[in-house]
């Protein structure tokens, strides 16, 4: 059974067809976007008219129907403009037809542009064309869609109802464009690598598995862009990047979505210091793109200053400052004894895992302003280059902000194929012991690497999290147009029927 609110609209749909009006015509009059009209006629004063006619198209978002004169608001992605219709200007039949339209319908109108006594820029409608019939009413009679879950589940309605939401996605697009321009100007080449891969690699994460029927093989949705971009680097393209989707079979939270967007950059003859400087430059450009001139954002209750340069702090120093535990020796027994003396229980296992646990518990929550945490244990960084030969620490950084939100990850890339094979083998042993996120051995990548890989710096930036930060959103679902949500049996937006 259909929604009772739909029936009057369905009746109007039938009436349009009976009167020979196509409610979904294949051709649209030549129109102009609303935003440029608002800009061009911004100088008009109250009760002043332009000598120019305009034709605009958009969705009707409000109507004030009166006797022989009515007002409506038209919206497109560039702006909103008022329309004024009268019997005298349109004629009796056309005016009656206009008054039959509903909020949510799309029309095109033509007329002179003027500013009303109250200062509203307006099109004096002389003619109109019906473009598309909306058979469901907009949410809450256009007062806005407020329920958070319904907003995420029905993003099209969210974008219609909430200007702030629409502005966030405009900002996202501008930020990505700015970072892309920056990399292009620096001589980087944008490429595309496979989304379906015979082997998941490049990160410590669980992949999604799918099956290719024709080839009768399992494939993996990529968890990172890294290993294929390094193949491109090995092939002689010294500066390369990709902005693409990655997929990780992990929990859903305010910081995690199974499908997310990454920027990964690789530069030959560079290292992680180069990548730190590049990270700052990219974030600077993203701030400029959305007009964040003072570099101050409010994020999760904190006033955060994004002015560069960012603080740089080695992981072992950060842990020592927070806990008094010296982890630089990477001796698990020493770490256990010192921790127990302070009432801190560390997880069983290797030194690297103990260091990681201390950092996540005692340091991450304190990182409010942007901070590069540098030099990580080798065990949790299987693709990064050692600081020195035989060292248990590698040249890696992560950028944290807002109380522990990880924004970027970068290495001086490991380019020793023998060392890389040994690291993969160590990861394989962890997989055999039950660690589902550990790397498996990627023989094809090692084959490419054995032909010689230049020294390089590599960088990954989580686009969704960066947009969260710069637009002051608390949840990743607010910056992904269609986030992954739990399935629900019924949807109140659909009148309680099964979805």
């Amino acid at each position: 059974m259909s929604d009772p609110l739909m029936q009057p609209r369905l009746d109007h749909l039938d009436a349009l067809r009976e009167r020979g009006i196509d409610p979904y015509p294949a051709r649209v009059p030549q129109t102009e976007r609303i935003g440029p009209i608002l800009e061009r006629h911004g100088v008009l004063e109250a009760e002043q008219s332009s000598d120019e006619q305009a034709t605009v198209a958009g969705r009707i978002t409000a109507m004030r129907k009166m006797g022989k004169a009515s007002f409506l608001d038209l919206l497109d992605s560039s702006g909103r403009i008022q329309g004024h219709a009268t019997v005298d200007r349109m004629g009796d039949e056309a005016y009656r037809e206009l008054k039959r339209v509903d909020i949510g319908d799309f029309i095109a109108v033509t007329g002179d542009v003027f500013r009303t006594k109250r200062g509203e820029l307006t099109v004096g409608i002389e003619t109109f064309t019906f473009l598309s019939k909306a058979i469901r009413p907009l949410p809450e009679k256009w007062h806005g869609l407020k329920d958070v879950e319904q907003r995420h589940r029905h993003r099209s309605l969210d974008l219609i109802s909430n200007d702030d939401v629409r502005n966030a996605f405009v900002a996202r697009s501008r930020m990505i464009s700015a970072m892309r321009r920056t990399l292009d100007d620096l001589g980087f080449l944008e490429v595309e690598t496979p989304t379906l891969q015979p082997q998941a690699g490049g990160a410590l994460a669980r992949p999604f598995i799918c099956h290719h029927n024709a080839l009768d093989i399992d494939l993996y949705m990529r968890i990172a862009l890294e290993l294929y971009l390094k193949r491109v680097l090995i092939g002689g393209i010294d500066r390369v990047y990709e902005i693409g989707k990655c997929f990780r079979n992990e929990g859903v939270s305010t910081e995690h979505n199974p499908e997310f967007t990454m920027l990964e950059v690789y530069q030959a003859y560079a290292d992680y210091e180069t990548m730190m400087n590049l990270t700052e430059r990219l974030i600077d450009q993203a701030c400029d793109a959305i007009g964040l001139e003072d570099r101050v954002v409010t994020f999760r209750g904190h006033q955060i200053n994004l002015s560069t340069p960012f603080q740089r702090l080695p992981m072992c120093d950060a842990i020592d400052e927070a806990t008094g535990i010296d982890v630089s020796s990477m001796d698990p027994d020493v770490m256990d004894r010192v921790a127990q003396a302070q009432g801190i229980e560390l997880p069983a296992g290797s030194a690297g895992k103990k260091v990681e646990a201390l950092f996540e518990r005692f340091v991450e929550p304190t990182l409010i302003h942007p901070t590069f945490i540098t030099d990580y244990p080798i065990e949790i960084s299987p693709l990064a280059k050692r600081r020195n030969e035989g060292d248990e620490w590698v040249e890696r950084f992560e950028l944290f902000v807002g109380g522990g939100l990880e924004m970027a990850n970068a290495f001086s890339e490991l380019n020793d194929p023998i060392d890389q094979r040994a690291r993969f083998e160590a990861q394989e042993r962890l997989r055999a012991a039950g660690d589902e996120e550990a790397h498996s051995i990627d023989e094809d990548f090692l084959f490419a690497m054995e032909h010689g890989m230049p020294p390089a710096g590599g960088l990954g930036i989580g686009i969704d999290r960066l947009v969260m930060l710069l637009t002051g959103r608390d949840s990743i679902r607010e910056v992904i147009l269609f986030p992954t949500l739990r399935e629900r049996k019924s949807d109140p937006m659909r009148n309680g029927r099964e979805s």
Side-chain angles (χ1 to χ4, degrees):
M1 182 178 179
S2 64
D3 187 331
L5 294 176
M6 293 172 60
Q7 193 57 53
R9 292 169 176 263
L10 293 171
D11 292 343
H12 182 223
L13 187 69
D14 292 338
L16 286 169
R17 288 182 167 132
E18 288 173 4
R19 291 194 292 275
I21 300 171
D22 186 351
Y24 306 103
R27 296 290 177 267
V28 177
Q30 185 172 353
T31 61
E32 184 178 0
R33 300 184 79 206
I34 292 171
I37 292 174
L38 297 175
E39 292 178 12
R40 193 164 63 249
H41 299 288
V43 296
L44 288 179
E45 298 179 356
E47 298 186 283
Q48 184 179 5
S49 296
S50 167
D51 57 1
E52 176 186 327
Q53 278 207 331
T55 300
V56 297
R59 184 192 290 272
I60 300 171
T61 61
M63 289 196 73
R64 298 169 291 284
K65 300 177 182 179
M66 294 171 276
K68 294 187 176 183
S70 298
F71 291 90
L72 58 83
D73 290 345
L74 278 184
L75 174 74
D76 71 11
S77 64
S78 66
R80 193 187 315 264
I81 196 167
Q82 181 173 258
H84 179 237
T86 66
V87 173
D88 292 342
R89 192 187 295 117
M90 297 185 67
D92 190 60
E93 183 177 348
Y95 180 70
R96 281 200 309 271
E97 194 66 55
L98 182 65
K99 287 181 67 175
R100 294 188 182 106
V101 302
D102 291 304
I103 292 175
D105 292 349
F106 288 83
I107 64 172
V109 302
T110 298
D112 294 333
V113 180
F114 67 96
R115 195 174 293 281
T116 65
K117 185 184 298 185
R118 294 186 176 182
E120 186 82 16
L121 200 65
T122 303
V123 176
I125 302 173
E126 296 179 6
T127 62
F128 86 100
T129 304
F130 200 92
L131 300 180
S132 181
K133 181 67 193 174
I135 62 173
R136 285 186 184 271
L138 296 178
E140 300 182 20
K141 298 181 180 178
W142 189 248
H143 292 308
L145 186 62
K146 302 300 182 187
D147 181 86
V148 173
E149 183 177 349
Q150 293 300 336
R151 286 180 44 242
H152 298 158
R153 199 171 292 279
H154 300 289
R155 185 67 84 185
S156 56
L157 301 182
D158 191 22
L159 292 167
I160 294 169
S161 301
N162 297 311
D163 290 343
D164 185 54
V165 172
R166 195 161 54 250
N167 292 339
F169 288 103
V170 171
R172 178 189 174 110
S173 178
R174 289 175 177 167
M175 289 165 55
I176 293 172
S177 294
M179 291 189 285
R180 180 177 271 119
R181 282 194 303 272
T182 299
L183 291 168
D184 290 345
D185 290 345
L186 290 171
F188 286 85
L189 181 71
E190 183 175 10
V191 300
E192 295 174 296
T193 60
T195 300
L196 291 175
Q197 302 180 350
Q199 192 164 344
L204 302 178
R206 293 178 60 187
F208 288 95
I209 305 173
C210 56
H211 188 76
H212 191 288
N213 292 331
L215 297 178
D216 193 24
I217 58 172
D218 284 340
L219 294 171
Y220 299 86
M221 303 291 286
R222 66 184 177 193
I223 57 176
L225 313 175
E226 180 165 348
L227 298 186
Y228 279 89
L229 289 176
K230 285 182 177 177
R231 288 169 168 87
V232 177
L233 197 71
I234 291 167
I237 298 178
D238 291 345
R239 297 187 177 202
V240 63
Y241 76 96
E242 182 173 5
I243 299 173
K245 292 288 189 181
C246 295
F247 308 85
R248 297 184 184 177
N249 200 348
E250 57 189 17
V252 176
S253 72
T254 57
E255 297 179 5
H256 298 89
N257 192 68
E259 176 182 357
F260 60 98
T261 303
M262 283 290 294
L263 162 66
E264 288 201 27
V265 183
Y266 293 88
Q267 180 178 342
Y269 319 114
D271 57 22
Y272 76 150
E273 293 280 354
T274 312
M275 294 298 106
M276 283 188 226
N277 297 332
L278 180 59
T279 302
E280 291 173 337
R281 182 167 182 171
L282 289 168
I283 292 176
D284 257 341
Q285 294 300 311
C287 289
D288 286 342
I290 61 173
L292 198 63
E293 295 179 0
D294 63 1
R295 300 296 192 265
V296 175
V297 296
T298 301
F299 181 70
R300 295 183 173 176
H302 302 289
Q303 288 286 111
I304 297 174
N305 192 320
L306 298 172
S307 299
T308 56
F310 301 150
Q311 180 184 12
R312 304 182 182 195
L313 181 62
M315 178 178 276
C316 58
D317 292 350
I319 292 172
D320 195 359
E321 289 177 16
T323 66
I325 300 174
D326 181 3
V327 298
S328 60
S329 67
M330 292 293 285
D331 186 323
D333 294 332
V334 171
M335 281 190 267
D336 280 334
R337 285 198 302 272
V338 176
Q340 287 170 6
Q342 299 187 35
I344 299 171
E345 185 174 346
L346 295 179
S350 66
K353 290 294 185 181
K354 294 178 189 294
V355 170
E356 184 178 39
L358 284 169
F359 175 75
E360 290 177 350
R361 179 178 173 185
F362 295 102
V363 180
E364 275 191 16
T366 70
L367 301 175
I368 306 302
H369 295 284
T371 304
F372 289 121
I373 296 294
T374 67
D375 303 335
Y376 279 58
I378 192 170
E379 182 189 358
I380 59 173
S381 312
L383 298 167
K385 183 174 289 188
R386 299 172 193 264
R387 291 185 307 187
N388 300 291
E389 189 172 352
D391 201 344
E392 293 301 308
W393 298 87
V394 298
E395 291 194 349
R396 173 187 177 187
F397 75 77
E398 290 184 293
L399 175 63
F400 291 92
V401 67
L405 182 66
E406 178 201 334
M407 302 296 302
N409 187 20
F411 313 143
S412 293
E413 298 294 341
L414 179 60
N415 62 333
D416 177 346
I418 297 173
D419 190 0
Q420 183 66 82
R421 179 176 291 278
R423 304 241 202 128
F424 277 157
E425 289 171 348
Q427 289 286 307
E428 194 70 52
R429 289 191 290 274
L430 291 175
R431 284 180 66 83
D435 187 347
E436 294 181 329
E437 295 186 350
H439 280 268
S440 56
I441 298 176
D442 189 332
E443 290 290 352
D444 185 73
F445 172 66
L446 287 170
F447 176 79
M449 199 177 187
E450 286 164 356
H451 288 82
M453 174 177 161
L459 165 66
I461 295 178
I463 294 294
D464 311 300
R465 291 183 177 183
L466 182 60
V467 178
M468 280 175 63
L469 174 66
L470 298 194
T471 61
R473 298 319 200 264
D474 290 339
S475 171
I476 199 169
R477 298 185 191 96
E478 294 290 345
V479 297
I480 295 175
L481 272 171
F482 303 102
T484 304
L485 301 170
R486 294 184 186 277
E487 184 180 3
R488 57 187 305 176
K489 292 183 178 180
S490 65
D491 185 347
M493 292 293 291
R494 297 180 181 176
N495 199 30
R497 289 173 290 123
E498 294 297 306
S499 58

